[in-house]
Amino acid sequence: MSTAARTGPRRERARAATIAEIKDTARALMRESGTVDVRFSDIARAMEMTPPALYRYFADRDDLLSALIADAFDDLARAVAQARDSVPADDLPARWVAAARGYRGWARREPQQFALIFGLPLPGYSAPEDGPTTEAAQRAMAQLAALFGEAIRHGILTPPTLRDVDPALELCAVAKGEDLGGVLPPETFQAMLHAWNSVHGFTCLEAYGHYDWMEPAAREAFFLSQVRLAALNAGLPAP
Amino acid sequence: MSTAARTGPRRERARAATIAEIKDTARALMRESGTVDVRFSDIARAMEMTPPALYRYFADRDDLLSALIADAFDDLARAVAQARDSVPADDLPARWVAAARGYRGWARREPQQFALIFGLPLPGYSAPEDGPTTEAAQRAMAQLAALFGEAIRHGILTPPTLRDVDPALELCAVAKGEDLGGVLPPETFQAMLHAWNSVHGFTCLEAYGHYDWMEPAAREAFFLSQVRLAALNAGLPAP
DNA sequence: AGTGTTCGTTAAGCCTCGTAACGGCGTGAC
DNA sequence: GTCACGCCGTTACGAGGCTTAACGAACACT
C-alpha cells in the first residue's frame, strides 16, 4: 500500500515472501507436533532467525494465528471448490460427492488447520466484526447452497425425506438464504444442513482419529455411504 | 490402596478431596477462559496455594489433563445415560431422542470438556494402551449399540434406509460388534454410525458457535429434525 | 553522498513450568 | 510420651517462552 510507494515493490515482495515463509513454517511445525500450539521461538529457530524478528511481521502470537485461520478458510474453500469442479458441471450428484470428498480429504490431510477452523474457538478470536468463527459455516453453506440452487434450476431435485419445517427454522432459512444469494425452499435448506451435519460429523471424528479402528477400505466405503445417504435425504438423485 | 494401610484413611480422604478440588478448579478456569489451556499457576492461585504444591498430586500438566479427559469421558457417558433413562425403558425411539439430547446438551454446557474428548487429540496423549482417544468413540458406540440391540429384541426395528453394506465395512462391523458385546446386523451397524455422525456433527458445530446465527427456537427444532431423520434412516420408529 | 525507513540483532523484564531442598504436621511404633 | 517416618506445602532456583526497547546494518530514494 502506501509503503510500497515509498520503498518500492522490491521490499514489498521480500516482505510478502517472509510473511509467507513464517506462515508456512508455522504450518509445518503444527504438522510435526500434531498440535495447533506453535511456539514463536520454534518458528524463529526453524527460519534461523531470532524470535523478536517475527514481531516485524506479526503483532503477536494471536495475530499470526488469526492469519493462519484466515488462510485455512481460504484453503479449505479452495480445496472443496476444486474437488467439486473436477467433475462435469451437469452431474450434480457427482459434484456433491466430490465436494464432500474434498471437505473430508482436506480435513484428513490438515487436521490441525481443520481444528483451527472448526475446533473450540480461540478466546479472543471471534471478536472482530461479527465473528469469523461463523465464517467457516458461511462459506461451507454458501458452496452447498449454490449446489442445491443448481439442482433446483436443473429440475432434478426431488422433495427431501423430511418435509415439515418448524416455523422458527423457516424464518432463519429465508434470512440466511438472502445472505447466501439465493433462497432455497425451507425443507431443502433444512435438508442441506442435515447433509452438512452428517458429513461434518464424520469428518471431525475421522480427522481426529476416532475412526482409526476402521480399516481404510471400510472407512472409505462408510464415508461414501454417508454421503450417499445425505444426498438421498436431501432429494438429490442417488450418486 | 497400600498407602491407605500405612497412613490411615484419614489422609486418603483429604488427598482425594484436594485432587477433586484441583480438577474442579481447572474445569472452572477452563469455563472462564473458554479454552482448554489451563495454567498450573492459575489453578494454584485460585486455590491459594503455590504452584509446586500441585506436583504432589499430578506429575505434570499432561497428567492433570489426562485425568480431566478421563473425567470428561465419565461425565459425558453419565449425562447421556441419565438422559436416556429419564424416559420409559420401553419407548425406544424416545430414548434415542433423549440420549441424543443428552449428548448435545452436555456439549453445549461444557464445550471445553467436549473439546477435550472430541477435539484435536493432544500430542502425547493417545499413547497409553491403544489410545483412550478412541475410548470416546467406544463408549458412544456402546450406548448406541445397546439401544439398537434393545430395539431388535423388541422387534420394532425396521430395515434402515441404506441396506447395502460394503464387505470391508461388514468385517469391521462384526469385529466391533463383538467388542461391544452384541453383534448388530451390518446394515444396522452402518446406520447407527450414520446416526452418530449426524448428531455429532450438529453437536460440534453448535457447541463451537457455528450455529449461533440460528435463533435458539429454530436451533432446537432443527436439532430435533436431525435426530428424527437419523432415527428414520436407521429403522427406528419415528419418534 | 545523505537521509530516513526497514529489518534483524542483542539485552532485558516478566511469566510459566518443573525440580530441589527445607520445615511443619499428623501418623503409627515403641 | 516420645520418636521416626511420610505427607504436604513452602521458598529458592534454573530453563525457556513471550514481548518490548535500544541499537546497528542494509537498503531505497533524493
Side-chain angles (χ1 to χ4, degrees), chain A residues 213, chain B residues 77 80-81 84 134-150 153 176-177 179-182 184 189 192-193 196:
Chain A
W213 52 271
Chain B
V80 171
R84 165 175 41 78
T134 61
E135 186 177 334
Q138 291 276 4
R139 296 212 197 178
M141 284 192 305
Q143 298 229 13
L144 260 186
L147 196 138
F148 278 93
E150 276 291 300
R153 231 165 295 130
K176 209 61 185 172
D179 261 22
L180 261 45
L184 300 172
F189 182 80
M192 175 185 91
L193 293 184
W196 183 35

Side-chain angles (χ1 to χ4, degrees), chain A residues 11 15 49-50 52-53 56-57:
Chain A
R11 282 215 162 150
R15 181 176 178 81
M49 296 193 1
T50 54
R56 297 283 178 200
Y57 302 93

Side-chain angles (χ1 to χ4, degrees), chain B residues 44-64:
Chain B
R45 228 190 315 279
M47 293 178 65
E48 295 182 323
M49 295 195 0
T50 53
L54 299 180
Y55 289 85
R56 297 285 178 196
Y57 301 92
F58 296 97
D60 57 13
R61 232 168 106 275
D62 277 3
D63 191 30
L64 169 59

Side-chain angles (χ1 to χ4, degrees), chain A residues 7 17 28 63 68 86 88 115 133 138 152 176-178 203-204 206 210:
Chain A
T7 66
D63 191 31
L68 291 176
S86 72
T133 284
Q138 292 276 5
I152 291 176
K176 209 61 186 174
E178 282 163 10
T203 300
C204 284
E206 187 194 31
H210 298 292

